Amino acid sequence: MAVYTDINEIDLAAFLAEYDIGGLLSYKGIAEGVENSNYLLHTEKGSFILTLYEKRVNRGDLPFFLGLMQHLAGKGIDCPLPVHQKNGAMIGELAGRPAAIVTFLEGMWMRRPTVAHCQAVGEALARMHLAGLDFPMRRENALSVSGWRPLWDNAKDRADEVEQGLAAETEADLAFLEANWPSDLPVGVIHADLFPDNVFFLGTRLSGLIDFYFACTDLLAYDVAVCLNAWCFEKDFSFNLTKGTALLRGYNSVRPLSADEAGALPVLARGAALRFMLTRLYDWLTVPDGSFVVKKDPMEYIRRMRFHRQIHSPVEYGLVLKGVDA
Amino acid sequence: MAVYTDINEIDLAAFLAEYDIGGLLSYKGIAEGVENSNYLLHTEKGSFILTLYEKRVNRGDLPFFLGLMQHLAGKGIDCPLPVHQKNGAMIGELAGRPAAIVTFLEGMWMRRPTVAHCQAVGEALARMHLAGLDFPMRRENALSVSGWRPLWDNAKDRADEVEQGLAAETEADLAFLEANWPSDLPVGVIHADLFPDNVFFLGTRLSGLIDFYFACTDLLAYDVAVCLNAWCFEKDFSFNLTKGTALLRGYNSVRPLSADEAGALPVLARGAALRFMLTRLYDWLTVPDGSFVVKKDPMEYIRRMRFHRQIHSPVEYGLVLKGVDA
């Protein structure tokens, strides 16, 4: 759920006067996105999303996020296109917050993705990676390996409240990942949060990628590892090898993973699970009950960490190695 | 905020197969309405609202609410029109809840209504009253005078937690209203909850009335009294006589209040304030903090009760009495 900020019609009319999107017909706060307030606008020219950036988003990062969407859309990637104000700006201010308007993408996110959806998301991720290679801006990934220890330091004393022994278990994982994190793999723009709720489909056709507000410059294969975590586990935390195979086949069909990238998948997937576990744990321990921020269970990612710890080869995720194939 | 129930694409597709509204393009949970879960659907045939009725709504009342919208829309009132399933039904089931689809109305609700909006809502209310006169179904108002004491009995022991002395003050008001509630005024279908968030405008033109889920059969003038409470007080609880005048002029221009109805306005307005105070007080004391039900401050209506207690003539609300006019 996310409508943290209500907008009144007077402020909104003044804001929209800066745009050339036709007369406003309606605006509805929508319960999607966790970090920001989102409104679905109907205007005489179509449907748009208006986002108010709440305090968890760093204002200085907005040109990267919005510039990236514009860059990707220009390369044919189906993603929201930022709408420029008459003065050329992509970022305005509304209700005391930075605000932007992007085009609305039709499509539904899959609560129950199938194998076909996993293959499509693999393909789309690879296309996004290729399209982003010449994007000129850079943004460090604050939530990559170097960012995990500070998060952990804020949570570790209370980690055993979630499960007895979790503190020692996580400490060991973190030390392992810090010592073994790859550094010489191909780098580019990654989405970094390509969960099912950020991918729209019309039937089995992927109609768009949304929510680039964690996008950054990092190892491309790490984005694949995030998707393995996000798309290929069932609700009982079992890994669905058929989905993993489909996702990796989709990715490889557009941008084949190098042998080094493939070999690093187990450690990258373990790190991705730790990354989501840590932010969830942090929220779990620090966000007050009853806040409108939805608190997600960190245990879902501890279960994934344990799975990845036992993986020795990317073949176990479903990757078909060259030479072995056919 | 209200999306209590998430819907998955499989259940939704099965539900929509019963309708002839074209292929589904998107569905977004929207943060409007307090009692139910609402989704904005885009289909190949346009925009629709899908409502899942949560437990606060009595399933047996749905034929009245949906039948009323159909009746009113058929008489030219701008309100959502229920969409029938292929088998003729207006009510289906989705995610274990009764569910219905209605047409989407463009328009914005006014966070800051002006005098012109108040006049328009008065006119629209009167038109709705006339259009409802031959609606054949009946529904008692569970939240009229006979329903207040049971609510009060559940809250009175803790009322002084809200403000010292509130218990005695409310007890006296309730006794007065029970003794003086009018019974011989014109009766018909009333909206009973026509607050600004249930009235849409495009500019100053009223584009629709929504949310008929408190509608019932009761004194028509009581609905006017609800609107005086809902539309004509400023944020500092002062009564805006210009807005009151406009609202009553709008109403009278379509359906003139009788002398008896006009004379009863002070007691009806006092009762309407008590009704909203009581349900807010009940929620305030019983709904846990952090629930997704938004708890509204009962003091806003205690302040209105105090105002109405001092009113002796409808002229003080802005009513222009016949003969005095011109």
Side-chain angles (χ1 to χ4, degrees), chain A residues 9 25-26 29 106-107 111-112, chain B residues 9 25-26 31 106-107 111:
Chain A
E9 61 277 8
L25 299 178
S26 61
E106 299 290 359
R111 276 69 170 171
R112 300 182 181 181
Chain B
E9 60 277 9
L25 299 176
S26 62
E106 299 291 0
R111 276 71 170 169

Side-chain angles (χ1 to χ4, degrees), chain A residues 1-3 6-10 24-32 40 42 47 104 106-113 200 202 290 292, chain B residues 1-3 6-10 24-32 40 42 47 104 106-113 200 202 290 292:
Chain A
M1 315 275 279
V3 179
D6 192 34
I7 307 173
N8 73 57
E9 61 277 8
I10 297 165
L24 181 65
L25 299 178
S26 61
Y27 67 106
K28 304 281 185 198
I30 60 175
E32 302 207 351
L40 170 49
H42 286 178
S47 298
F104 180 81
E106 299 290 359
M108 278 75 71
W109 69 265
M110 295 292 111
R111 276 69 170 171
R112 300 182 181 181
F200 290 168
L202 288 167
F292 280 126
Chain B
M1 314 274 279
V3 180
D6 193 33
I7 306 173
N8 72 57
E9 60 277 9
I10 297 164
L24 181 65
L25 299 176
S26 62
Y27 67 106
K28 304 282 184 199
I30 60 176
E32 302 207 349
L40 171 49
H42 286 179
S47 298
F104 180 82
E106 299 291 0
M108 279 75 71
W109 69 264
M110 295 292 111
R111 276 71 170 169
R112 300 183 182 180
F200 290 167
L202 288 167
F292 281 127

Side-chain angles (χ1 to χ4, degrees), chain A residues 197-277:
Chain A
D197 56 338
N198 289 331
V199 182
F200 290 168
F201 289 90
L202 288 167
T204 53
R205 185 176 74 76
L206 191 151
S207 62
L209 310 178
I210 66 161
D211 198 351
F212 288 79
Y213 299 112
F214 287 97
C216 53
T217 315
D218 203 350
L219 309 178
L220 298 178
Y222 176 69
D223 228 5
V224 179
V226 169
C227 286
L228 287 173
N229 278 284
W231 290 82
C232 302
F233 285 83
E234 301 301 325
K235 299 232 180 295
D236 65 358
F237 308 108
S238 62
F239 182 78
N240 184 323
L241 187 64
T242 309
K243 290 183 178 175
T245 304
L247 193 146
L248 293 167
R249 184 171 56 227
Y251 189 90
N252 268 335
S253 71
V254 176
R255 176 184 176 270
L257 289 166
S258 72
D260 285 349
E261 287 180 303
L265 274 183
V267 69
L268 293 171
R270 189 169 160 185
L274 181 66
R275 170 256 179 273
F276 289 101
M277 191 283 273

Side-chain angles (χ1 to χ4, degrees), chain A residues 125-138:
Chain A
L125 182 70
R127 271 199 292 272
M128 191 208 101
H129 286 170
L130 295 179
L133 285 178
D134 60 348
F135 180 58
M137 300 175 78
R138 244 189 106 74

